[in-house]
Amino acid sequence: MTRITRRSFVLSSFAAAALVVTGLPAYAASETLEVYKTPWCGCCTAWVDHMREAGFDVRVTEMEDLEPFKARHGVSAELTSCHTALIGGYVIEGHVPASDVARLLEERPEATGLAVPGMPVGSPGMEMGDERDSYEVVLFGPAGSETFSRY
């Protein structure tokens, strides 16, 4: 029989509360999303707000030049966008919706991460009234890439 300690009870209660409050899996709400962006990018800040509103704990680091960081984390030129984030062993490139990040953390596919190449209008952080581009969220890794979701 498993013994319930005060610590395990508190931790499981926190995880359950995180799920109820955020609607995200508890482990997604408990992991920190580390965002790397340039100091002058407003749409990156709007994406960070989107992720926080979805319940993610977010830490932002501003960098003048993101290209070496992106290359070090396996983000190719065709996948690049304006900011890069790390969470749960995955890379999140660009304006990926919070629901896709939560799904990635739940499913845990073998991949480097998710990307929304470019800066499509209507993606999180790139809202401009009723305008919307169609775009894909790409699951990428050493074996190639595939569509994870479409908007």
Side-chain angles (χ1 to χ4, degrees), residues 64-94:
E64 293 291 324
D65 182 9
L66 291 170
E67 294 313 310
F69 182 82
K70 291 174 186 290
R72 190 168 52 251
H73 290 285
V75 179
S76 64
E78 57 272 355
L79 294 175
T80 207
S81 184
C82 54
H83 57 268
T84 304
L86 305 174
I87 189 170
Y90 291 104
V91 176
I92 309 299
E93 177 67 14

Side-chain angles (χ1 to χ4, degrees), residues 100-114:
D100 286 324
V101 176
R103 180 178 149 210
L104 175 77
L105 294 172
E106 183 178 328
E107 295 177 3
R108 298 277 181 188
E110 195 169 310
T112 301
L114 295 177

Side-chain angles (χ1 to χ4, degrees), residues 1-147:
M1 176 179 271
T2 304
R3 185 172 156 243
I4 297 176
T5 65
R6 178 183 170 147
R7 183 172 194 262
S8 65
F9 176 77
V10 169
L11 290 174
S12 64
S13 297
F14 169 76
L19 179 58
V20 170
V21 170
T22 66
L24 295 175
Y27 56 81
S30 66
E31 293 185 57
T32 298
L33 179 72
E34 300 174 30
V35 179
Y36 298 84
K37 65 182 254 347
T38 58
W40 52 83
C41 188
C43 67
C44 296
T45 301
W47 183 76
V48 166
D49 292 343
H50 163 77
M51 298 304 286
R52 283 184 173 137
E53 289 168 7
F56 284 89
D57 177 39
V58 182
R59 181 175 62 217
V60 176
T61 301
E62 294 184 341
M63 304 170 75
E64 293 291 324
D65 182 9
L66 291 170
E67 294 313 310
F69 182 82
K70 291 174 186 290
R72 190 168 52 251
H73 290 285
V75 179
S76 64
E78 57 272 355
L79 294 175
T80 207
S81 184
C82 54
H83 57 268
T84 304
L86 305 174
I87 189 170
Y90 291 104
V91 176
I92 309 299
E93 177 67 14
H95 295 268
V96 177
S99 59
D100 286 324
V101 176
R103 180 178 149 210
L104 175 77
L105 294 172
E106 183 178 328
E107 295 177 3
R108 298 277 181 188
E110 195 169 310
T112 301
L114 295 177
V116 171
M119 298 166 62
V121 173
S123 61
M126 289 295 298
E127 295 89 351
M128 298 186 184
D130 292 335
E131 291 184 58
R132 296 189 67 79
D133 293 335
S134 59
Y135 66 94
E136 292 185 350
V137 176
V138 177
L139 179 73
F140 68 97
S145 62
E146 63 185 67
T147 300

